[in-house]
Amino acid sequence: MSERLSRRTVLHGLGVSLALPLLDAMLPQSVLAAGTVRPPKRLAFLYVPNGVHMPDWRPAKVGSDFDLPATLVPLAPYRDQLLVLTGLTADKARPHGDGPGDHARAMAAYLTGAQPRKTAGANIKAGISADQLAAGKVGKATKFASLEIGCEGGRQAGNCDSGYSCAYSSTLSWRTESSPVAKETNPRLVFERLFAVGGKSSAADFKKAAYKRSLLDFVAEDARGLKRRLGGADQRKLDEYLSGVREIEQRLARVEKASDYKGVPGGYKAPSGLPRDMGEHLRLLGDMMVLAFQADLTRICTFAFANEGSNRPYRNEIGISEGHHDLSHHGRKKDKMAKIQKINRFHIEQLAYILGRLKGVKEGDGTLLDSCMLSYGSGNSDGNRHNHDDLPVLLIGKGGGTIRPGRHLKLPRETPLNNLWLSLLDRMGVKVDRFGDSTGQLTGLEG
Amino acid sequence: MRTLALLALFVLAASPSPRADAAPPSYARDVAPLIGKYCLRCHSAVKPRGGVRLDRDRDDDAVRKALRLWEKVGDNLRSGDMPPAGAKKPTPAEMELLDRWLDAVVYKVDCRGERDPGRVTVRRLNRAEYNNTIRDLVGVDFRPARDFPADDVGYGFDNIGDVLSLPPLLMEKYLAAADKIIDEAWKRPELRKRLMPRSPRQGGMLYNLRQFATRAYRRPVGDEEVKRLLRLVRLALEQGDGPEVGAKLAFQAVLVSPHFLFRVERDPPGKVGAISQWELASRLSYFLWSSMPDADLFRLAREGKLREPDVLQEQVKRMLANPKAQALGENFARQWLNLRTLRSFSPDPKRFPGFGAELRQDMLRETQMFFMHIVRQDRSVLDFLDADYTFVNERLARHYGLKDVKGPSFRKVSLQGTPRGGVLTHASVLAVTSNPTRTSPVKRGKWILENILGTPPPPPAPDAGELKEGELKGTLRQQMEQHRKNPSCANCHARMDPLGFGFENFDAVGRWRTHDGKYPIDAAGVLPDGSKFNGPRELRQVLLGKKEQFVRCLAEKLLTYALGRGTERGDRCFIEEIAKNTAKKEHRFTALVLEIVKSDPFQKRRGKGGKK
């Protein structure tokens, strides 16, 4: 009680009013214990660059009797949770008069369904992404509105793809049409961020949090004052600043209420840092996503296995010395296509590991995987042709019983990928009529 | 787009045409029929090739509104890349008319009269700048930005205002870093003294806050600003904490404030105006040091002297001589030469067993030292193309086949009598332009076009494909020549490949070789303009023959880096001037920097009234 009072004094002392929404915390542990509410749904977008070798990806048979082609074989244990989607198109990844740059466009359009503006720097623009749309609407329920992770950070040299800023080919998540959301690549830093100590309400901690709020309040006022004086593009930068401040403020408010903070699920130990082996890197980042879902720190995650156009070799992992992107321009040469397939399968093996972890977590009457809507795919289909129709896309999990997996669903050709995202957003409780180039929800996910 | 609209306002007259008397051709009357005859079969509404449509613009005004497109059309026409091989080409008379029209309408930039210095978007400190600024401001040097998310790159550099975004994750990192930095400084008496020169208990707090904020914000702070900071201090007092807790809170707030994290420049009233002395001090220090201004620069700004030509020249020389100028090598040169990708370059260990982390480090070191030598000794920038010296230690010397270099320390050595000279033969550059298993003459050629000659080739057609090794026969070169028979690839490769072949004597990690497998190396080539060469030494001479082009390219890169924005059409006049004046001073590096620092884009900014 006295702590609560002291917080008020602090804010009063600063002479400013803090309009912090005291949010109704949905604390799943306690809620679930009461046994009245279903587990929350989780939404994840996993991305692989450079397309895949489609002949080894697309099942020959449609429906629940579908086969698992070579690349998808590692998913056999999760066949009943797997929905293979054929026929989706990312139309906005196509040039539409902008010439080359399919890699940059593929990633920037994947979750936005918006034509990325061709620019190497000034005025970058795509569209708000599906995950950020969801984070904006339902992210308040958790400590983190969303989580963005990936193995490769922003690129560090040169022009990324044919006159497109590197932001496009390294970003899935767009908070607004002009604000790409950076991803965290280091599993240790993700862990520390997720599980930073919070909620232990000793008087000292409480005071510290209150000071932090006052500090944020101070700098937000700076930013608002500055913004009034500056011009268009500058104002956008200050908006980014302010929305960052707001997000931290909201988190502080939540931490204060999360008095039943239970620590790290399963006593998972902090990862030591950046692994050299990409498989280990992917699995550790996957662990972070699973932990975040399990502890209900967030319900929305984007996870880029690598940046679009990534040219890393997979030498240590699977003995492939050539760069991934170089190989994807296989010119229909057999040995190169075989290597591409090997890389695709390697990625799918890591996916299988993540699914195993999700399935290993009991939640409600089922497992965490049952609550998930985890998509996995690429904005390119065949890396050699750079086509953006017939995309390789998987949807995994039951979405809390709203999806009937265990099928190969063939959609009409040129079905907008955003129709899938719209359907998933709807299941997350995000009601929008359309976004990006969507034309309506997909039918048939329920079976 | 903004640039283009502005252009329409000006009456233009750039390169004097030899046919000034002839009536200028018009698009509608003279050019459109030729475009229809030679281009529209592929570039019109139905399935436009490469996404390029040329049937939209109907007259000169429409063309002027789409200059970006038409410049490319012009480039392609003049290089002969378009119409492609096999298609009908314009006759010489037709080409002459097209040339005149291109000069009069498409390429024309007015360099007389009022010039637009451009307007840079507010720049967030990037990771290097943040680290250096904290080092110079607080005195702690633990590189707090190491864990920040990578800064995005635009126009080849990671200090571009438009591109530097501020995601929520970074905001969190700023908050945590400020906490850590102030805590760290508090533990060390000498650093604490720097933050708190006066005792907070005797009314010195206001002074302490003011002097810290002034340096952190790189400008004088207003009374109101200091008072607000003081309120944070009082807050702690009211909570029963000592003044030091409050002071720390206030210092942290300064380090998270947008006034610190962003380099803010105020728009001048009217169309165009000079930036303030304080803003100029920051532009200089972040350009040459990737850090905040030091006491001398602040003093000169306060005295209003920074713009005086003698002062400016003296300061540039002083700054380049300061150890902090290493930042120019680490941030400018390394990005100009694309060397940041060397970190992820991992050649096949079976083919290149000698390559490892140490050698990689040596390669970077060589180029850094070479660059800094040119800076410090004020050498000609043409040394980048051809110098008879470099810097090696024993390991790198052995890699290069140089004798009599012992030990791990780097030293300057002569390259006379060797095939090496200039950055083009540095192992760092040769490696980043290679594939993991072999050299890539295409990548090397492309690298030279982009970074030395400033004429980047257009990207390949999506279905162009890589070399089909199994199906083609002979050496890499013979295979590429077969591949080039594909007409849609031929023109660009005619520009790139010969440049790359000239360096085929250097393998994928930059070692000298005379054979590739069983085949002897053929390092001869002919450029589209007819210049011939055999081997790297002769190719360097060919490139030296294009030194105007190189200096212009370097000037543009350095200007981009100095301003933190991409160059626009209107900047061409400035770049041209900078390059010409640099040439007059024996191409000295300092002359180049001075020309940039004195130029309008660096000294001025477009105001709100100067909307384009």
Side-chain angles (χ1 to χ4, degrees), chain A residues 6-7 9-16 95-100 102 118-124 144 148 153-159 162 165-167 170-171 175 178-184 186 188-189 193 207-208 210-212 214-223 226 228-238 240-241 243-245 247-248 251 311 313 315 321-323 326 329-333 336 383-386, chain B residues 2 50-52 72 119-122 127 147-158 160-169 171-175 179 183 217 219 225 228-229 231-232 235-241 245 249-250 252-254 256-259 261-262 264-267 334-335 338-341 343-344 346-351 435-437 443 450 459-471 605 608:
Chain A
S6 90
R7 181 190 156 219
T9 325
V10 166
L11 298 177
H12 184 74
L14 192 61
V16 287
H96 294 293
D98 287 344
D102 287 282
K118 189 160 199 172
T119 163
N123 303 318
I124 56 168
F144 295 90
E148 295 79 26
R155 231 166 290 175
Q156 280 298 286
N159 189 338
S162 313
S165 157
C166 297
S170 58
T171 314
R175 168 172 286 251
S178 59
S179 312
V181 182
K183 53 193 172 314
E184 183 68 85
N186 187 330
R188 179 178 60 83
L189 297 179
R193 183 162 175 247
K207 203 190 264 174
K208 209 170 169 188
Y211 282 151
K212 205 181 228 183
S214 307
L215 187 157
L216 288 170
D217 211 54
F218 174 91
V219 297
E221 202 178 308
D222 272 1
L226 198 49
R228 277 194 291 274
R229 281 174 19 206
L230 298 176
D234 299 336
Q235 292 194 347
R236 277 206 297 280
K237 300 289 166 190
L238 270 305
E240 289 176 12
Y241 181 98
S243 73
V245 170
E247 184 160 305
I248 299 172
R251 198 169 310 148
N311 200 30
R315 188 183 303 125
S321 291
E322 298 94 328
D326 287 349
H329 288 276
H330 47 70
R332 310 217 57 74
K333 199 160 182 310
K336 289 195 179 186
N384 191 47
R385 288 198 297 139
H386 284 175
Chain B
R2 295 172 306 180
V52 173
K72 283 194 191 129
R119 184 185 179 285
V120 59
T121 303
V122 61
R127 293 195 293 183
D147 288 341
F148 292 2
D151 300 307
D152 276 316
V153 174
Y155 309 106
F157 297 99
D158 66 354
I160 305 297
D162 267 316
V163 176
L164 287 165
S165 58
L166 204 170
L169 176 62
M171 198 65 219
E172 266 175 57
K173 305 256 176 187
Y174 282 143
L175 207 58
D179 201 19
D183 269 353
Y217 299 169
R219 58 167 172 79
E225 287 182 289
R228 285 185 58 236
L229 283 168
R231 257 185 261 163
L232 285 172
L235 182 71
L237 295 176
E238 283 161 17
Q239 290 298 305
D241 283 324
V245 173
L249 184 62
Q252 283 173 21
V254 169
V256 185
S257 167
H259 294 288
L261 295 172
F262 289 101
V264 180
E265 290 177 358
R266 305 198 69 160
D267 285 331
R334 210 170 272 189
Q335 292 189 84
N338 298 177
L339 296 188
R340 289 202 173 161
T341 41
R343 209 178 39 180
S344 58
S346 74
D348 186 3
K350 273 187 229 117
R351 289 181 173 87
N435 287 345
T437 52
K443 283 187 186 167
E450 281 174 348
D463 55 357
E466 282 265 294
L467 287 182
K468 296 169 191 130
E469 276 160 40
E471 296 156 37
R605 117 186 226 109
K608 286 200 182 92

Side-chain angles (χ1 to χ4, degrees), chain B residues 18-32:
Chain B
R19 278 167 223 81
D21 48 326
S26 96
Y27 184 81
R29 189 186 61 233
D30 307 308
V31 178

Side-chain angles (χ1 to χ4, degrees), chain B residues 387-433:
Chain B
D388 60 1
Y389 59 88
T390 193
F391 296 82
V392 292
N393 61 4
E394 184 176 346
R395 188 169 32 234
L396 194 57
R398 222 181 301 128
H399 190 70
Y400 284 175
L402 299 170
K403 294 196 172 69
D404 303 326
V405 178
K406 296 275 171 263
S409 62
F410 273 75
R411 72 216 64 181
K412 188 173 167 217
V413 294
S414 168
L415 290 176
Q416 275 180 7
T418 78
R420 286 180 203 267
V423 288
L424 295 164
T425 60
H426 284 198
S428 55
V429 170
L430 293 163
V432 292
T433 53

Side-chain angles (χ1 to χ4, degrees), chain A residues 44-355:
Chain A
F45 303 91
L46 278 55
Y47 188 90
V48 282
N50 303 331
V52 306
H53 186 56
M54 290 305 284
D56 283 324
W57 172 282
R58 193 190 303 104
K61 282 186 242 162
V62 180
S64 50
D65 188 28
F66 74 110
D67 48 309
L68 283 178
T71 299
L72 300 184
V73 164
L75 299 179
Y78 313 100
R79 197 179 176 283
D80 61 330
Q81 295 271 5
L82 179 63
L83 193 58
V84 183
L85 295 167
T86 296
L88 290 165
T89 295
D91 177 59
K92 300 300 184 196
R94 290 170 170 153
H96 294 293
D98 287 344
D102 287 282
H103 289 285
R105 279 194 302 264
M107 191 141 182
Y110 188 73
L111 291 184
T112 64
Q115 189 81 26
R117 179 187 282 154
K118 189 160 199 172
T119 163
N123 303 318
I124 56 168
K125 180 184 167 195
I128 186 169
S129 56
D131 64 306
Q132 292 302 304
L133 200 57
K137 302 255 171 151
V138 299
K140 291 187 181 75
T142 51
K143 181 174 171 191
F144 295 90
S146 61
L147 181 67
E148 295 79 26
I149 51 178
C151 284
E152 297 175 344
R155 231 166 290 175
Q156 280 298 286
N159 189 338
C160 271
D161 186 4
S162 313
Y164 282 97
S165 157
C166 297
Y168 293 122
S169 46
S170 58
T171 314
L172 282 175
S173 286
W174 291 71
R175 168 172 286 251
T176 68
E177 62 177 22
S178 59
S179 312
V181 182
K183 53 193 172 314
E184 183 68 85
T185 56
N186 187 330
R188 179 178 60 83
L189 297 179
V190 182
F191 184 89
E192 285 172 1
R193 183 162 175 247
L194 289 174
F195 298 104
V197 184
K200 279 188 301 171
S201 31
S202 77
D205 285 343
F206 208 90
K207 203 190 264 174
K208 209 170 169 188
Y211 282 151
K212 205 181 228 183
R213 272 170 213 274
S214 307
L215 187 157
L216 288 170
D217 211 54
F218 174 91
V219 297
E221 202 178 308
D222 272 1
R224 281 190 293 268
L226 198 49
K227 192 180 152 190
R228 277 194 291 274
R229 281 174 19 206
L230 298 176
D234 299 336
Q235 292 194 347
R236 277 206 297 280
K237 300 289 166 190
L238 270 305
D239 281 336
E240 289 176 12
Y241 181 98
L242 282 165
S243 73
V245 170
R246 209 151 35 236
E247 184 160 305
I248 299 172
E249 283 179 343
Q250 287 171 355
R251 198 169 310 148
L252 281 172
R254 284 211 43 76
V255 168
E256 198 166 89
K257 300 203 80 191
S259 48
D260 59 348
Y261 175 81
K262 295 239 174 23
V264 186
Y268 191 99
K269 292 279 176 296
S272 56
L274 269 179
R276 285 179 56 104
D277 180 276
M278 195 196 184
E280 191 186 345
H281 196 175
L282 285 168
R283 291 190 296 276
L284 281 175
L285 285 175
D287 284 349
M288 294 306 112
M289 179 182 82
V290 175
L291 289 174
F293 282 168
Q294 190 177 354
D296 203 34
L297 295 168
T298 188
R299 295 172 189 171
I300 299 154
C301 179
T302 49
F303 183 0
F305 277 27
N307 288 341
E308 190 46 81
S310 167
N311 200 30
R312 70 153 73 212
Y314 287 72
R315 188 183 303 125
N316 301 325
E317 294 82 3
I318 44 175
I320 291 177
S321 291
E322 298 94 328
H324 185 185
H325 175 249
D326 287 349
L327 276 176
S328 74
H329 288 276
H330 47 70
R332 310 217 57 74
K333 199 160 182 310
K334 281 212 178 72
D335 62 331
K336 289 195 179 186
M337 290 196 286
K339 284 176 179 169
I340 282 294
Q341 191 272 331
K342 228 172 136 183
I343 293 173
N344 299 155
R345 174 149 170 159
F346 169 76
H347 288 148
I348 289 290
E349 282 163 4
Q350 313 314 314
L351 171 64
Y353 165 85
I354 294 168
L355 299 182

